[in-house]
Amino acid sequence: MNAPALPAADTLRAALAGLLDGLPPRQAAQAVERLIASYRGDTPTDAPILRDRADVAAYAAYRMPATFEAVRSALGAFAEAVPEWVPGSHVDVGGGTGAATWAAADTWDGTRPVTVLDWAEPALALGREIAAAHPALRDVRWQRSRIGAALTLESTDLVTVSYVLNELTAPDRAALVDAAAAAAQAVVIVEPGTPDGYARVIEARDRLVAAGFQVAAPCPHSAACPITPGTDWCHFSARVSRSSLHRQVKGGSLAYEDEKFGYVAAARFPVTPAASRVVRRPQIRKGQVLLDLCEPDAQLPRRTVTKRHGDLYKAARDADWGDAWPPAQG
């Protein structure tokens, strides 16, 4: 009898742990620290960011689980809005080592043609190596391609763009979103959960809506975002199991961390978005739960659910940041 397949997250963690075999823990931690500094702009721009396979392996082991969890959360919300739809093909733009392909494989069963586009050949090579651990990803096409205004995309059902827009100029961001909109039936964009990340998501959301897309998640509407720029930002959180490398780099002892991210998922075909979306951590008080919601009329009310509401109160106590509200009956 064959052993049951591991969940994608466990398979990914095991594959990433294997990458670090033989690499001294301190060397891996130093590589990650240097790469983080590079991406933050704390080192000279002419220094190579990914110097060798060890750099890529260390950074993948450090960042890939968080990217996977964030994209899986976004794709899960999208799938809830289009329950009958399954992508027949997938292009991951700027996908590096392919975290979004793992997230898509975890969201929808079966196999499909998948292409990962990225400029960094070492990242693509490592992504190919890691993907061998997942049966649905063994035939992924890993293609070197410059991401920016010159990018053209073949027609596909799904385009994912995760943690990429922050690396591009404003014209290149606009061109990339327009290229995705022209090529795909569905587009899912994920960015860091920061005010700047939110601004990039909103910019992309506006372009997708202008191109005829309907927002499937997280918003329960395709109208303008009701948040006044500069006063707040929409973002969510995904829990990530910390590896020993994470704990060493961050100096923490917790077995997990929370990855903050923002996203938009939109489609050219009909969608059924959530009736409302919980956009802050629910506040549980004695006998009541306070829910900050985004609602279909593009308003951001705070709703109070009390024991008088019976089963709805129980559901509110179990509700999490980012959940649809009210919960689906079943």
Side-chain angles (χ1 to χ4, degrees):
M1 179 182 297
N2 293 329
L6 288 172
D10 293 340
T11 304
L12 178 58
R13 277 194 293 271
L16 291 172
L19 292 177
L20 300 179
D21 285 348
L23 186 64
R26 187 56 199 154
Q27 182 182 345
Q30 288 174 339
V32 170
E33 290 166 351
R34 184 180 60 77
L35 292 167
I36 290 173
S38 295
Y39 282 116
R40 287 175 177 166
D42 297 336
T43 58
T45 56
D46 58 351
I49 294 177
L50 298 174
R51 298 184 303 190
D52 51 31
R53 186 185 185 281
D55 275 0
V56 181
Y59 198 72
Y62 180 78
R63 274 302 303 167
M64 210 173 161
T67 302
F68 166 80
E69 294 292 355
V71 178
R72 181 171 66 168
S73 180
L75 292 179
F78 177 59
E80 290 175 2
V82 291
E84 304 301 320
W85 185 80
V86 176
S89 55
H90 175 200
V91 174
D92 185 24
V93 179
T97 52
T101 67
W102 285 77
D106 196 59
T107 304
W108 294 285
D109 291 335
T111 59
R112 58 195 59 86
V114 179
T115 300
V116 177
L117 304 177
D118 201 276
W119 183 245
E121 181 59 42
L124 294 169
L126 198 73
R128 183 184 299 108
E129 181 180 335
I130 299 167
H134 196 309
L137 300 177
R138 290 171 184 165
D139 294 327
V140 171
R141 183 169 60 133
W142 303 85
Q143 181 177 321
R144 191 165 189 248
S145 179
R146 190 175 293 279
I147 309 303
L151 179 69
T152 57
L153 298 174
E154 299 176 357
S155 294
T156 185
D157 283 347
L158 172 67
V159 166
T160 53
V161 185
S162 54
Y163 296 88
V164 173
L165 298 183
N166 60 314
E167 300 178 3
L168 303 177
T169 64
D172 280 353
R173 288 198 300 270
L176 172 53
V177 173
D178 290 347
Q185 293 299 303
V187 177
V188 177
I189 294 172
V190 180
E191 281 287 294
T194 62
D196 285 346
Y198 161 76
R200 290 187 292 269
V201 168
I202 290 301
E203 178 186 75
R205 181 187 185 276
D206 290 347
R207 298 191 79 86
L208 290 172
V209 171
F213 280 66
Q214 299 180 57
V215 177
C219 324
H221 59 82
S222 294
C225 178
I227 295 176
T228 301
T231 65
D232 202 353
W233 69 99
C234 183
H235 65 294
F236 302 94
S237 180
R239 183 140 292 183
V240 184
S241 295
R242 270 181 166 177
S243 66
S244 59
L245 177 60
H246 278 83
R247 291 194 290 272
Q248 184 174 6
V249 170
K250 293 204 168 180
S253 58
L254 289 177
Y256 65 86
E257 65 179 3
D258 291 325
E259 172 74 6
K260 304 298 196 304
F261 67 97
Y263 75 98
V264 61
R268 284 198 174 279
F269 47 85
V271 301
T272 306
S276 298
R277 180 79 59 186
V278 180
V279 293
R280 289 290 181 271
R281 290 194 190 281
Q283 298 182 41
I284 300 178
R285 308 281 175 81
K286 186 176 180 179
Q288 62 182 16
V289 181
L290 307 181
L291 298 177
D292 291 299
L293 302 174
C294 183
E295 297 198 328
D297 59 358
Q299 298 298 309
L300 296 166
R302 171 170 286 182
R303 304 295 185 191
T304 301
V305 185
T306 69
K307 288 184 176 180
R308 296 197 311 269
H309 293 94
D311 289 343
L312 199 62
Y313 171 70
K314 296 177 183 177
R317 288 183 61 87
D318 291 335
D320 200 1
W321 185 8
D323 284 354
W325 183 262
Q329 299 298 314

